[in-house]
Amino acid sequence: MHRVGLVVSQVAILVIVALIISGAPQLSFAQVSSGPASRVVWLGPSSTGYAFAPADEIKLLGLVNDIREAHHLAPLRMSPSLRQVARDHSRDMALRGYVGHGDPSGESFVDRLGRVLQTGTRVGENVAAVQTVEEANAAFAASEWHLQNMLNPVFRVVGIGVASAQATMMVTEDFAE
């Protein structure tokens, strides 16, 4: 497992349902476990079912790349391994009724990404609870920290996971170089 040594880009937790908790820029690995990036916001009761939305994942990739193109940046490619990590996290948030970069057991997104990336890889993550991927993209673009992840020229790949439960769409975007 490659847990130690990932370099974390600016991160923040975005909950479209009126709560924004922002993280500090350039969080170090040690700060992630106790800082804003590990907070979990409970949205409601857990669910017994979920559904992935592959078409919405592809649509969101296009929306992210439209923003990157407008800023003269190369498009991101969908990474199958990062997509699976993002899907797993979106599914967990949907089933357990929370949103956050960490999970209720204390695992951070750095821990999750460390299972599929090499030590030293720079990473970033955007998460949201929304009704549509267009809402997620607009909210990410309107947030300084989330937009920095989307426009980071170091990032070349992304994994996007969208899972729905109880009429809420949980979105995870995991970025890496």
mmCIF file of all heavy atoms in Angstrom, residues 11-12 26-27 32 37-39 55 69 74 81 90 92 103 108 111 114 118 133 154 159 163:
data_model
loop_
_atom_site.group_PDB
_atom_site.id
_atom_site.type_symbol
_atom_site.label_atom_id
_atom_site.label_comp_id
_atom_site.label_asym_id
_atom_site.label_seq_id
_atom_site.Cartn_x
_atom_site.Cartn_y
_atom_site.Cartn_z
ATOM 1 N N VAL A 11 -7.688 21.337 -1.399
ATOM 2 C CA VAL A 11 -8.915 20.559 -1.317
ATOM 3 C C VAL A 11 -9.968 21.314 -0.508
ATOM 4 O O VAL A 11 -9.644 22.190 0.268
ATOM 5 C CB VAL A 11 -8.679 19.180 -0.659
ATOM 6 C CG1 VAL A 11 -7.758 18.333 -1.496
ATOM 7 C CG2 VAL A 11 -8.113 19.339 0.741
ATOM 8 N N ALA A 12 -11.187 20.948 -0.694
ATOM 9 C CA ALA A 12 -12.281 21.497 0.097
ATOM 10 C C ALA A 12 -13.441 20.538 0.017
ATOM 11 O O ALA A 12 -13.517 19.724 -0.882
ATOM 12 C CB ALA A 12 -12.703 22.861 -0.428
ATOM 13 N N GLN A 26 -2.467 23.700 -0.052
ATOM 14 C CA GLN A 26 -1.258 22.904 0.155
ATOM 15 C C GLN A 26 -1.280 22.115 1.460
ATOM 16 O O GLN A 26 -0.367 22.188 2.264
ATOM 17 C CB GLN A 26 -0.008 23.795 0.086
ATOM 18 C CG GLN A 26 0.192 24.447 -1.265
ATOM 19 C CD GLN A 26 0.307 23.443 -2.395
ATOM 20 O OE1 GLN A 26 0.885 22.382 -2.245
ATOM 21 N NE2 GLN A 26 -0.248 23.766 -3.544
ATOM 22 N N LEU A 27 -2.339 21.370 1.681
ATOM 23 C CA LEU A 27 -2.406 20.516 2.861
ATOM 24 C C LEU A 27 -1.328 19.453 2.778
ATOM 25 O O LEU A 27 -1.113 18.865 1.741
ATOM 26 C CB LEU A 27 -3.770 19.822 2.947
ATOM 27 C CG LEU A 27 -4.972 20.712 3.193
ATOM 28 C CD1 LEU A 27 -6.238 19.877 3.141
ATOM 29 C CD2 LEU A 27 -4.861 21.419 4.521
ATOM 30 N N VAL A 32 -4.027 16.258 6.696
ATOM 31 C CA VAL A 32 -5.246 15.685 6.136
ATOM 32 C C VAL A 32 -6.027 14.899 7.173
ATOM 33 O O VAL A 32 -7.238 14.993 7.250
ATOM 34 C CB VAL A 32 -4.913 14.795 4.920
ATOM 35 C CG1 VAL A 32 -6.124 14.004 4.488
ATOM 36 C CG2 VAL A 32 -4.428 15.658 3.772
ATOM 37 N N ALA A 37 -10.105 18.454 5.458
ATOM 38 C CA ALA A 37 -10.226 17.449 4.406
ATOM 39 C C ALA A 37 -10.725 16.116 4.923
ATOM 40 O O ALA A 37 -11.149 15.281 4.148
ATOM 41 C CB ALA A 37 -8.878 17.268 3.711
ATOM 42 N N SER A 38 -10.676 15.896 6.234
ATOM 43 C CA SER A 38 -11.135 14.618 6.761
ATOM 44 C C SER A 38 -12.531 14.716 7.366
ATOM 45 O O SER A 38 -13.066 13.726 7.835
ATOM 46 C CB SER A 38 -10.148 14.095 7.815
ATOM 47 O OG SER A 38 -10.127 14.967 8.938
ATOM 48 N N ARG A 39 -13.125 15.908 7.369
ATOM 49 C CA ARG A 39 -14.446 16.075 7.963
ATOM 50 C C ARG A 39 -15.511 15.356 7.154
ATOM 51 O O ARG A 39 -15.456 15.285 5.941
ATOM 52 C CB ARG A 39 -14.814 17.552 8.044
ATOM 53 C CG ARG A 39 -13.993 18.276 9.066
ATOM 54 C CD ARG A 39 -14.555 19.653 9.311
ATOM 55 N NE ARG A 39 -13.613 20.370 10.145
ATOM 56 C CZ ARG A 39 -13.317 21.636 9.994
ATOM 57 N NH1 ARG A 39 -13.891 22.340 9.056
ATOM 58 N NH2 ARG A 39 -12.451 22.215 10.790
ATOM 59 N N ALA A 55 -23.108 7.484 -17.607
ATOM 60 C CA ALA A 55 -23.300 8.545 -18.597
ATOM 61 C C ALA A 55 -23.050 9.919 -17.973
ATOM 62 O O ALA A 55 -22.477 10.806 -18.618
ATOM 63 C CB ALA A 55 -24.706 8.473 -19.193
ATOM 64 N N GLU A 69 -10.207 23.585 -21.387
ATOM 65 C CA GLU A 69 -9.959 24.094 -22.738
ATOM 66 C C GLU A 69 -10.072 25.619 -22.778
ATOM 67 O O GLU A 69 -9.266 26.294 -23.428
ATOM 68 C CB GLU A 69 -10.942 23.471 -23.732
ATOM 69 C CG GLU A 69 -10.727 23.931 -25.155
ATOM 70 C CD GLU A 69 -11.717 23.315 -26.140
ATOM 71 O OE1 GLU A 69 -12.503 22.437 -25.749
ATOM 72 O OE2 GLU A 69 -11.681 23.730 -27.308
ATOM 73 N N ALA A 74 -4.550 21.216 -21.388
ATOM 74 C CA ALA A 74 -4.815 19.908 -22.005
ATOM 75 C C ALA A 74 -5.987 19.234 -21.293
ATOM 76 O O ALA A 74 -6.166 19.402 -20.082
ATOM 77 C CB ALA A 74 -3.567 19.029 -21.902
ATOM 78 N N SER A 81 -8.535 3.203 -12.892
ATOM 79 C CA SER A 81 -8.300 2.922 -11.469
ATOM 80 C C SER A 81 -8.800 4.067 -10.592
ATOM 81 O O SER A 81 -9.407 3.829 -9.540
ATOM 82 C CB SER A 81 -6.829 2.619 -11.202
ATOM 83 O OG SER A 81 -6.011 3.711 -11.574
ATOM 84 N N SER A 90 -18.128 7.579 -3.877
ATOM 85 C CA SER A 90 -19.481 8.106 -4.117
ATOM 86 C C SER A 90 -20.542 7.117 -3.644
ATOM 87 O O SER A 90 -21.543 7.509 -3.032
ATOM 88 C CB SER A 90 -19.675 8.426 -5.606
ATOM 89 O OG SER A 90 -18.906 9.545 -5.973
ATOM 90 N N ASP A 92 -20.194 4.867 -1.261
ATOM 91 C CA ASP A 92 -20.176 4.860 0.205
ATOM 92 C C ASP A 92 -20.918 6.078 0.757
ATOM 93 O O ASP A 92 -21.717 5.949 1.694
ATOM 94 C CB ASP A 92 -18.730 4.824 0.718
ATOM 95 C CG ASP A 92 -18.659 4.604 2.207
ATOM 96 O OD1 ASP A 92 -19.266 3.622 2.704
ATOM 97 O OD2 ASP A 92 -18.006 5.409 2.901
ATOM 98 N N ASP A 103 -13.976 9.360 5.234
ATOM 99 C CA ASP A 103 -15.189 8.592 5.498
ATOM 100 C C ASP A 103 -15.401 8.527 7.011
ATOM 101 O O ASP A 103 -14.535 8.937 7.782
ATOM 102 C CB ASP A 103 -15.141 7.215 4.837
ATOM 103 C CG ASP A 103 -14.151 6.251 5.470
ATOM 104 O OD1 ASP A 103 -13.683 6.476 6.605
ATOM 105 O OD2 ASP A 103 -13.847 5.243 4.825
ATOM 106 N N SER A 108 -8.916 8.863 4.857
ATOM 107 C CA SER A 108 -8.888 10.074 4.038
ATOM 108 C C SER A 108 -8.841 9.712 2.555
ATOM 109 O O SER A 108 -8.594 8.563 2.185
ATOM 110 C CB SER A 108 -7.662 10.915 4.385
ATOM 111 O OG SER A 108 -6.487 10.303 3.876
ATOM 112 N N ASP A 111 -5.568 8.233 1.690
ATOM 113 C CA ASP A 111 -5.490 6.787 1.943
ATOM 114 C C ASP A 111 -6.082 6.011 0.769
ATOM 115 O O ASP A 111 -5.493 5.041 0.287
ATOM 116 C CB ASP A 111 -6.253 6.412 3.225
ATOM 117 C CG ASP A 111 -5.664 7.013 4.481
ATOM 118 O OD1 ASP A 111 -4.437 7.243 4.525
ATOM 119 O OD2 ASP A 111 -6.439 7.254 5.431
ATOM 120 N N GLY A 114 -3.945 6.346 -2.318
ATOM 121 C CA GLY A 114 -2.659 5.694 -2.104
ATOM 122 C C GLY A 114 -2.661 4.215 -2.444
ATOM 123 O O GLY A 114 -1.600 3.617 -2.642
ATOM 124 N N GLN A 118 1.270 5.751 -7.198
ATOM 125 C CA GLN A 118 2.621 5.657 -6.667
ATOM 126 C C GLN A 118 2.852 6.733 -5.612
ATOM 127 O O GLN A 118 2.289 7.831 -5.687
ATOM 128 C CB GLN A 118 3.652 5.835 -7.784
ATOM 129 C CG GLN A 118 3.667 4.727 -8.779
ATOM 130 C CD GLN A 118 4.753 4.952 -9.828
ATOM 131 O OE1 GLN A 118 5.413 5.968 -9.872
ATOM 132 N NE2 GLN A 118 4.927 3.965 -10.685
ATOM 133 N N VAL A 133 -25.188 16.618 -12.440
ATOM 134 C CA VAL A 133 -23.752 16.848 -12.616
ATOM 135 C C VAL A 133 -23.487 18.272 -13.096
ATOM 136 O O VAL A 133 -22.415 18.823 -12.820
ATOM 137 C CB VAL A 133 -23.086 15.807 -13.550
ATOM 138 C CG1 VAL A 133 -23.096 14.443 -12.913
ATOM 139 C CG2 VAL A 133 -23.708 15.798 -14.931
ATOM 140 N N VAL A 154 -0.722 20.382 -13.633
ATOM 141 C CA VAL A 154 0.020 19.164 -13.299
ATOM 142 C C VAL A 154 -0.868 17.932 -13.478
ATOM 143 O O VAL A 154 -0.396 16.863 -13.843
ATOM 144 C CB VAL A 154 0.567 19.244 -11.858
ATOM 145 C CG1 VAL A 154 1.132 17.916 -11.397
ATOM 146 C CG2 VAL A 154 1.609 20.338 -11.749
ATOM 147 N N GLY A 159 -10.473 10.550 -12.106
ATOM 148 C CA GLY A 159 -11.457 9.494 -11.935
ATOM 149 C C GLY A 159 -12.726 10.152 -11.447
ATOM 150 O O GLY A 159 -12.689 10.905 -10.462
ATOM 151 N N ALA A 163 -22.776 8.413 -7.953
ATOM 152 C CA ALA A 163 -23.703 7.413 -7.420
ATOM 153 C C ALA A 163 -24.905 8.134 -6.831
ATOM 154 O O ALA A 163 -24.750 9.154 -6.151
ATOM 155 C CB ALA A 163 -23.026 6.553 -6.354
#
